[in-house]
Amino acid sequence: QSALTQPASVSGSPGQSITISCAGSSSDIGDYNYVSWYQQHPDKAPKLIIFEVTYRPSGISSRFSGSKSGNTASLTISGLQADDEADYYCISYTSRGTWLFGGGTKVTVL
Amino acid sequence: VELVESGGGLVQPGRSLRLSCAASGFTFDDYAMHWVRQAPGKGLEWVSGISWNSRQTGYAVSVKGRFTISRDNAKKSLFLQMNSLTVDDMALYYCVQGGPRYFDRFGPWGQGTLVTVAS
């Protein structure tokens, strides 16, 4: 199984909104709502920011939102802040009983 | 919740290594558990998962047939037996709490244990 497809990098200015896509297939994203997003700062463990496509864990800013259309999930960060500069990963459950991560997207705040 | 991995280290290609994860702060046998790895400078890769009662396990294609996940609920511990290691297995291995159901979202992560494969 290949990794889910994410853009390698996305950038935006403070205050702007950016969207990161995560493309999968009918065997993962298209078939399940078990899609999560993680934020990872350098040398830190990943942090869950979205689960089951659209839900935010307690304590996560409402500036982070998730959605899904067909085989593609998306993460939108609104009101971009300097601390949002990090790597972001999507992950989906699959029909084979496994999990697939995306390749990761580096977000740069200009 | 605290997850503490151990067992990493330097190993030669073709050899074996067993990772352990000691869990505390939650009812261990209520949750699925997973191993996720990250090679230096690379992205995250799910390696393996196990349901709370060990009835369901899953493996990434890259490790299937070489790695075996197991758990000891009485000892609140998760394990990963890694055989026939290659340089591609070199990574930081994280122990990750799952949810009550095998397909639930992941919870807290440990800090990881580093596996280095080199001759």
Side-chain angles (χ1 to χ4, degrees):
Chain A
Q1 287 177 300
S2 300
L4 304 175
T5 302
Q6 296 181 234
S9 63
V10 172
S11 62
S13 300
Q16 285 187 329
S17 294
I18 60 170
T19 296
I20 303 169
S21 61
C22 173
S25 71
S26 58
S27 298
D28 39 71
I29 294 176
D31 205 21
Y32 298 97
N33 285 327
Y34 301 118
V35 179
S36 296
W37 288 89
Y38 284 88
Q39 176 193 64
Q40 187 180 33
H41 286 108
D43 299 320
K44 298 291 186 183
K47 177 182 178 181
L48 181 68
I49 55 174
I50 294 288
F51 67 96
E52 291 177 20
V53 179
T54 62
Y55 296 94
R56 285 187 308 276
S58 174
I60 298 301
S61 170
S62 58
R63 297 185 301 105
F64 295 93
S65 62
S67 63
K68 187 183 88 165
S69 177
N71 298 337
T72 300
S74 298
L75 172 72
T76 297
I77 309 175
S78 58
L80 202 61
Q81 299 178 358
D83 189 51
D84 298 333
E85 189 161 289
D87 293 324
Y88 291 81
Y89 297 90
C90 59
I91 180 174
S92 174
Y93 185 67
T94 82
S95 60
R96 297 184 182 186
T98 62
W99 292 83
L100 271 181
F101 275 101
T105 298
K106 182 177 181 60
V107 168
T108 302
V109 181
L110 302 172
Chain B
V1 172
E2 187 173 24
L3 300 167
V4 179
E5 303 93 337
S6 61
L10 175 63
V11 62
Q12 293 179 327
R15 303 298 291 264
S16 299
L17 208 57
R18 189 190 195 213
L19 304 184
S20 299
C21 171
S24 61
F26 66 103
T27 306
F28 183 70
D29 52 9
D30 277 351
Y31 292 86
M33 297 294 296
H34 301 270
W35 290 99
V36 175
R37 69 184 180 184
Q38 187 168 34
K42 301 296 185 182
L44 300 171
E45 181 185 15
W46 176 85
V47 174
S48 183
I50 186 168
S51 62
W52 68 272
N53 58 4
S54 302
R55 288 182 181 173
Q56 184 171 5
T57 59
Y59 299 91
V61 170
S62 58
V63 307
K64 196 167 187 177
R66 299 188 299 122
F67 289 13
T68 302
I69 191 171
S70 62
R71 63 190 294 162
D72 184 334
N73 286 345
K75 296 183 177 179
K76 299 183 180 181
S77 295
L78 177 71
F79 306 100
L80 186 68
Q81 177 67 41
M82 305 186 295
N83 299 332
S84 304
L85 285 162
T86 74
V87 294
D88 291 336
D89 296 317
M90 187 160 61
L92 184 65
Y93 282 73
Y94 291 102
C95 170
V96 186
Q97 182 198 57
R101 301 171 301 181
Y102 181 74
F103 47 81
D104 281 332
R105 73 182 189 275
F106 297 175
W109 296 49
Q111 287 304 303
T113 186
L114 185 62
V115 172
T116 302
V117 183
S119 53

